[in-house]
Amino acid sequence: MQRPLWEADVILDIDALVVRYVNAGADGKDVQRIFKYSLSRQDLEEAIFSGP
């Protein structure tokens, strides 16, 4: 997924959705966030699209 200010890879794991924001850390490293599937779609969208 690409946005104007960041790029991310979305991985569908067994029990969670993993979002890896590419080169988003202060040192240029990837930032990874994990979201449980128990969250609502709206909560997931807000968390993911808010960016790293």
Side-chain angles (χ1 to χ4, degrees), residues 4 33 36-37 40 46 49 52:
R33 296 174 70 190
K36 295 290 185 182
Y37 287 128
S40 71
E46 288 175 7
F49 290 114

Side-chain angles (χ1 to χ4, degrees), residues 23-40:
N23 300 322
D27 55 359
K29 292 186 179 179
D30 295 349
V31 173
Q32 181 171 298
R33 296 174 70 190
I34 300 171
F35 304 98
K36 295 290 185 182
Y37 287 128
S38 59
L39 292 171
S40 71

Side-chain angles (χ1 to χ4, degrees), residues 11-24:
I11 301 143
L12 303 176
D13 204 0
I14 292 172
D15 60 350
L17 182 77
V18 179
V19 180
R20 185 171 44 119
Y21 296 96
V22 181
N23 300 322

